[in-house]
Amino acid sequence: MSTPTDTSAPASNFIRNQIDADLACGKHTRIVTRFPPEPNGYLHFGHTKSICLNFGLAESYGGDCHLRFDDTNPEKEAQEYVDAIIGAVRWLGFQWSGEIRYASDYFEEMFECACALIRAGKAYVDSQSADEIRARRGTLTQPGEDSPFRSRSAEENMDLFLRMKAGEFAEGTHVLRAKIDMQSPNLNLRDPVIYRIRHVAHHRTGDAWCIYPLYTFAHPIEDAIERVTHSICTLEFEDQRPFYDWLLDALAEAGRFARPLPQQIEFARLNLYQTVLSKRKLIRLVSEGHVNGWDDPRLPTISGARRRGFSAGGFRLFAERAGVAKADSWIDMDVLEQAMRDDLNEHAPRRIAVLDPLLLKITNFPAGETHTCHAPNHPQHPEAGTREVPFSGELWIEREDFMEVPSKGFRRLYPGNRVRLRYGYVVECTGCEKDADGNVTAVLCEYFPDSQSGTPGADNYKVKGNLHWLSVAHAREAEVRLYGRLFVTAQPGARREDDPPELERDFIDDLNPDSLTVLHAQVEPALAEDAPGQTFQFERHGYFIADSGDSRPDALVFNRAVTLKSGIR
Ligand code: ATP
Ligand code: MG
C-alpha cells in the first residue's frame, strides 16, 4: 500500500549535493549529523524541520545522527525540557545513534582545548569589564581596538585561567578570549569571548564548574569530539562559520582533533505565517496566560501538535514538501495543514459526530426498536473492517442539514425531499416542529424499511443527499474544541504600512481573540471505548482526537486537528 509519507527518492538539495561530493571524493566514508537542541524550552514546529533534516539525512545515507543537548548555559536549562525533547524526537519517529549526548559531558575536554589555545598563543585572559570590551569592539564600519591585556604571556594567561577555574575571581572580572584579529571586517573574529566566570550550579554538573564556555566556542568542539561530518544549522550562524573553522583548525594544529574536521552548513529556517517560532515568544504566550500551557493545541509546539491530533507522518511529509533552501522564506499554515490532512486521511479511522445537533424523528419507525447498521472504518481500506452503528426512531442530525424553505441547490432535508442516512435508510421529510419563537426543534421524517444500505434493493432509491446521523439513545455527549489561527496577522508583531514611525508593535496585540470555539456535540458510542491518542476522521467535519488532558470516558472532549478542506482562519 503506497502512503503519502513514502519517500522512495528524496528530493535533491544543496546539502545532499555536498554530502554526495564528500562521499565521492573520499573525504568521508560515512556521514554523521546531529540535532543539538538547547534544553531551555519546548520544541516548536521549526525544530521539526531540523530534526527531519538531520535524522532524515542519516537515515537515507546509512549514517548516524546524534541527539545532543547543548547544555553549556547553566542558567536557563532544566531536566523538564530534556525529557520533553527526547519524547518529541521519538514521537517524530526517529532514533539517535548511540547514547544521548550532553555538551556538559565535554566540559573537561573544552577546558583542555582552551588551555591548548593559550599554550599556542591563540587565547588570552582579558581583565577588562564587559563595557570596556564592548567599547573596544568597534562597529561594522570601524575596526576594533586591542585590549591592553592582549599581550599577556602564555604563562600569565594559563595562571589566570586556572585561577578563574579555581573560583578565585568574581563574575565579570576576567574572561578568556580567542586571539584572532581586532581589525577583522567580521565582528565575530574580533577576539571573541570563549569562557566566562559564572558562579552558578549547572543542572547536570552541579557545582563542578564556575567557568562556562560560550556557545560559539563549545559547539564546534562538540561536533569535533563526536566526529560529526556535516554540522547543519540555520542561516543566522553564517557569520560564525569563519570562527567555527578558525577554532577547529587551531585545535587540529594543536593536535587535539584529527582531520577531516566537521563542516558547518547553513540552511534557511522554517518560518510560518500567523504563528511565532521562537522559544522566547512562546514562553511569553504561556507565562502570561494567553494560552493554556505548553501543550495548548493552538501553540506551534510539538506537545501542542500532539494534543491537537497532528501526526508525526504529517510533519515528515511537511518537511519534505517545504524542502531545504539557502534563502529565508515564509510558508502558509495551510501547507502544514494540508500535509497533516494527507497523512491523516490515509491513517485515521472514520467515526461519526454531530457537531450542531438537531432532533430528527422517524414517525413510522417501530417504537423502541433499534436496528444495527455497519459503517466502514476506512472507505479506502476495507481491511480496516466495519463497526456497528445503532439506528433508531430518534436521531441527531446537523442543524445545517435541514431547511424548512430550501435555498437554491440545497439537496439535504426539506419537506418533500428524500435523503439517505448514510449506512442506514432513506428517509423522506414530512415537516418539522417548532418552539414558540419559531425555532425548529425537530425534523419529521418517514423511512423506507427496504432501503437499508447494503441490502438488496437499497439502490432502487435515488437520492442526492447523504447525511450523517446518530441514534439519540446511543450517542454520547462530547465537548468539541475547534481551533482557529493563533494570530490574526501574517507576521505577528510586524509593523503595518500605515503605522506611525514611533509606534512599536507587540506580537501579543495580534493574537486572534476567536482562536478557540467550544461546541456541545454528540458522538458515536464507539468513541468512548476507542484508544486515546488516536486521531479520527469525523465524517464531513475533519480530523479529531480525544483531548489528552481533559477527556474522560464519562466526559468526552475532542480537539479538531484540521478540517477536511482548507479554510481555517
Ligand atoms: P529559538 O530561536 O526558538 O530559541 P533555537 O535555534 O534557539 O530556537 P535550539 O534549541 O538552539 O533552538 O535549536 C536546535 C536546532 O533546531 C538548531 O540546530 C536550530 O538551528 C534548529 N532550529 C530552531 N528553529 C528552527 C527553525 N525555525 N527552522 C529550522 N530549524 C530550526
Ligand atoms: Mg538557541
Side-chain angles (χ1 to χ4, degrees):
M1 174 170 84
S2 149
T3 75
T5 27
D6 276 356
T7 52
S8 29
S12 137
N13 59 51
F14 70 97
I15 298 180
R16 297 187 69 95
N17 293 345
Q18 178 70 54
I19 294 174
D20 290 338
D22 291 345
L23 292 170
C25 75
K27 181 181 178 189
H28 301 296
T29 52
R30 183 180 175 86
I31 69 151
V32 182
T33 58
R34 85 284 174 267
F35 174 62
E38 194 183 347
N40 61 351
Y42 287 84
L43 295 188
H44 54 63
F45 292 0
H47 295 110
T48 65
K49 176 160 187 183
S50 176
I51 292 171
C52 291
L53 178 58
N54 281 293
F55 285 94
L57 285 170
E59 246 171 34
S60 84
Y61 283 93
D64 297 305
C65 181
H66 298 175
L67 173 59
R68 178 209 308 152
F69 287 101
D70 219 323
D71 58 351
T72 51
N73 182 354
E75 273 122 294
K76 293 181 248 153
E77 301 166 352
Q79 190 60 39
E80 174 194 357
Y81 298 131
V82 170
D83 297 338
I85 292 170
I86 292 171
V89 172
R90 279 216 184 99
W91 178 75
L92 281 170
F94 293 109
Q95 178 59 51
W96 47 91
S97 300
E99 300 286 304
I100 292 174
R101 293 147 216 264
Y102 294 87
S104 56
D105 286 346
Y106 309 142
F107 278 163
E108 190 64 43
E109 214 154 336
M110 291 173 190
F111 170 77
E112 294 296 337
C113 285
C115 293
L117 290 182
I118 293 174
R119 278 192 296 273
K122 292 176 180 172
Y124 62 97
V125 172
D126 196 348
S127 308
Q128 299 182 94
S129 68
D131 285 343
E132 288 167 325
I133 291 178
R134 205 170 305 119
R136 288 207 160 91
R137 193 163 179 241
T139 62
L140 281 175
T141 51
Q142 279 191 323
E145 232 180 280
D146 284 0
S147 159
F149 301 98
R150 198 174 194 265
S151 50
R152 277 174 167 157
S153 69
E155 290 72 33
E156 190 184 354
N157 283 319
M158 189 62 84
D159 173 64
L160 284 168
F161 189 49
L162 290 175
R163 289 168 60 197
M164 281 167 66
K165 178 182 185 247
E168 288 185 26
F169 305 120
E171 289 185 9
T173 52
H174 307 277
V175 291
L176 187 69
R177 298 178 73 175
K179 193 169 181 177
I180 310 178
D181 180 6
M182 289 303 293
Q183 331 290 315
S184 172
N186 183 339
L187 271 76
N188 300 301
L189 293 180
R190 292 183 189 169
D191 294 5
V193 173
I194 58 179
Y195 262 95
R196 58 193 176 137
I197 301 170
R198 300 293 287 119
H199 289 282
V200 289
H202 182 277
H203 77 115
R204 292 188 82 240
T205 58
D207 290 325
W209 296 88
C210 63
I211 52 171
Y212 289 96
L214 274 90
Y215 178 84
T216 48
F217 173 77
H219 200 83
I221 294 177
E222 295 157 23
D223 287 340
I225 290 172
E226 295 179 11
R227 307 292 305 153
V228 165
T229 55
H230 300 87
S231 175
I232 301 164
C233 62
T234 42
L235 282 178
E236 62 275 22
F237 291 98
E238 198 166 9
D239 290 346
Q240 288 289 352
R241 180 157 26 101
F243 178 66
Y244 186 102
D245 291 339
W246 178 91
L247 177 65
L248 291 187
D249 196 63
L251 292 170
E253 287 293 301
R256 296 216 60 94
F257 296 119
R259 298 176 198 272
L261 297 165
Q263 178 189 359
Q264 175 178 310
I265 305 176
E266 308 88 17
F267 74 105
R269 65 190 295 116
L270 172 69
N271 297 304
L272 278 171
Y273 287 123
Q274 288 184 277
T275 192
V276 288
L277 295 182
S278 137
K279 280 183 236 165
R280 194 173 45 81
K281 290 181 179 167
L282 294 171
I283 283 172
R284 259 193 78 193
L285 289 173
V286 174
S287 63
E288 293 176 12
H290 302 291
V291 293
N292 305 316
W294 281 104
D295 60 352
D296 187 301
R298 292 167 294 183
L299 278 185
T301 53
I302 297 185
S303 47
R306 292 176 67 170
R307 187 163 179 181
R308 178 156 175 169
F310 282 7
S311 64
F315 277 112
R316 293 171 74 142
L317 191 58
F318 173 64
E320 215 175 284
R321 288 179 181 172
V324 182
K326 212 41 191 155
D328 264 321
S329 69
W330 286 73
I331 297 183
D332 213 285
M333 199 62 98
D334 279 339
V335 179
L336 174 66
E337 289 180 348
Q338 190 55 47
M340 292 303 157
R341 228 172 253 134
D342 290 344
D343 184 66
L344 291 169
N345 179 43
E346 180 64 23
H347 299 110
R350 275 40 175 179
R351 293 289 182 268
I352 298 164
V354 177
L355 298 189
D356 186 10
L358 173 62
L359 187 61
L360 180 144
K361 292 184 186 170
I362 302 177
T363 49
N364 63 339
F365 198 81
E369 255 184 47
T370 300
H371 294 180
T372 302
C373 300
H374 295 271
N377 286 321
H378 197 302
Q380 281 95 54
H381 296 301
E383 73 279 8
T386 60
R387 63 191 189 286
E388 295 185 348
V389 194
F391 187 98
S392 65
E394 293 209 329
L395 305 175
W396 294 118
I397 60 165
E398 296 291 345
R399 186 163 287 276
E400 63 169 27
D401 285 344
F402 172 76
M403 287 181 95
E404 193 180 8
V405 181
S407 57
K408 195 163 169 285
F410 187 78
R411 291 175 171 173
R412 289 167 271 167
L413 278 174
Y414 55 88
N417 195 38
R418 290 181 186 183
V419 299
R420 174 168 292 284
L421 297 176
R422 186 181 259 179
Y423 317 127
Y425 296 87
V426 171
V427 292
E428 180 170 320
C429 181
T430 55
C432 64
E433 294 171 354
K434 295 183 190 176
D435 64 17
D437 299 328
N439 300 309
V440 175
T441 52
V443 178
L444 304 177
C445 285
E446 288 183 358
Y447 89 122
F448 299 93
D450 59 347
S451 67
Q452 187 174 7
S453 298
T455 60
D459 288 351
N460 296 339
Y461 293 87
K462 297 292 174 222
V463 293
K464 297 224 171 84
N466 202 332
L467 309 187
H468 66 277
W469 50 272
L470 289 168
S471 164
V472 170
H474 303 86
R476 306 287 302 262
E477 262 178 46
E479 176 179 322
V480 167
R481 300 173 182 168
L482 309 181
Y483 301 100
R485 295 277 182 264
L486 186 51
F487 292 92
V488 289
T489 54
Q491 299 183 328
R495 295 181 56 79
R496 300 182 199 168
E497 231 167 77
D498 45 0
D499 277 351
E502 67 283 3
L503 182 80
E504 287 220 23
R505 285 198 177 271
D506 183 359
F507 74 100
I508 297 287
D509 299 335
D510 294 337
L511 276 167
N512 176 8
D514 301 317
S515 57
L516 171 63
T517 306
V518 177
L519 303 177
H520 296 283
Q522 297 285 334
V523 301
E524 72 172 83
L527 280 162
E529 279 98 56
D530 278 320
Q534 171 72 55
T535 302
F536 295 96
Q537 185 194 96
F538 287 178
E539 295 188 22
R540 294 174 65 205
H541 288 307
Y543 297 92
F544 294 74
I545 191 171
D547 186 80
S548 57
D550 300 334
S551 189
R552 282 179 285 116
D554 59 340
L556 297 168
V557 181
F558 287 93
N559 298 324
R560 184 167 70 192
V562 276
T563 49
L564 283 186
K565 297 206 177 78
S566 69
I568 293 183
R569 286 293 162 261

